[in-house]
Amino acid sequence: MPTCTPWTWIAPAVQALWPARCAVCEAHAKAPGLCARCLEQAGPREGPRCRQCDQALPIEAPAHRCGRCLARAPAFERAWGVFDYAGPFGDALRHGKYGRRPEVIAGLGRALRAHLPGELLRAPPAAVVPVALHPRRVARRRFDVPLVLAHAVAKGLGVPLARRALRRVHDTPEQAGLD
């Protein structure tokens, strides 16, 4: 049975009074996240990709694997990406993450779910595992960005969300602050 919170009753009125806006261009949007124009500009990604790490490949790439994976295979079998971090999707992600806007991140999760690769839909993994944030970072942001995105992907694939499979034990610096 779904739980009802005060927000369950207030949300429709808030959305009627203050319609959703695109996190990038501020145009009206159907839901928080990206408007249709920015979503179209964001992707999804096209072109040849490495079959292991999902990095972009030149058209003439042999074996459909990048040089880095051919030289030293990573510890994982396969990675999939939908949107690039650069451009409108990345801009909206940073806006939601650093602006403490979970509704924007949830909107981006819905966009991810709507654009999951066909290969991934045909042969889904056993579970979706979000990259764990340190509890201090979750407290600073007031929500867990990877968990929100992973929830949308797990729902789209119809597989369990293994939210406690990884645990971050060190409070490492944010990548945004690194050179």
Side-chain angles (χ1 to χ4, degrees):
M1 181 172 174
T3 59
C4 290
T5 65
W7 184 248
T8 306
W9 303 100
I10 297 170
V14 169
Q15 290 171 351
L17 293 172
W18 293 282
R21 296 207 173 265
C22 176
V24 175
C25 72
E26 293 290 319
H28 288 284
K30 289 182 182 178
L34 292 172
C35 66
R37 191 177 119 244
C38 286
L39 184 58
E40 184 178 318
Q41 289 176 353
R45 301 184 310 179
E46 295 179 355
R49 315 293 299 183
C50 174
R51 297 269 312 142
Q52 190 155 12
C53 73
D54 198 49
Q55 291 298 310
L57 291 175
I59 293 172
E60 66 277 354
H64 304 290
R65 289 179 69 203
C66 69
R68 194 171 36 193
C69 288
L70 287 170
R72 185 173 180 194
F76 54 87
E77 290 180 29
R78 183 81 166 91
W80 284 271
V82 177
F83 298 101
D84 284 322
Y85 192 64
F89 193 89
D91 292 343
L93 186 63
R94 287 183 291 279
H95 179 77
K97 196 158 91 169
Y98 300 119
R100 296 183 176 135
R101 304 273 316 271
E103 73 280 5
V104 169
I105 301 300
L108 296 177
R110 287 188 296 276
L112 280 174
R113 185 173 60 227
H115 293 91
L116 289 171
E119 181 183 350
L120 186 57
L121 291 167
R122 286 187 296 278
V128 173
V129 180
V131 175
L133 289 180
H134 192 273
R136 283 191 199 118
R137 189 162 307 161
V138 174
R140 270 195 312 272
R141 290 194 183 140
R142 298 190 188 125
F143 68 105
D144 190 336
V145 175
L147 181 61
V148 172
L149 295 173
H151 175 73
V153 172
K155 185 175 178 182
L157 294 172
V159 300
L161 175 65
R163 69 182 297 165
R164 301 204 194 298
L166 296 176
R167 185 173 63 112
R168 188 173 301 251
V169 294
H170 299 289
D171 192 5
T172 56
E174 291 189 33
Q175 287 183 355
L178 303 175
D179 61 12

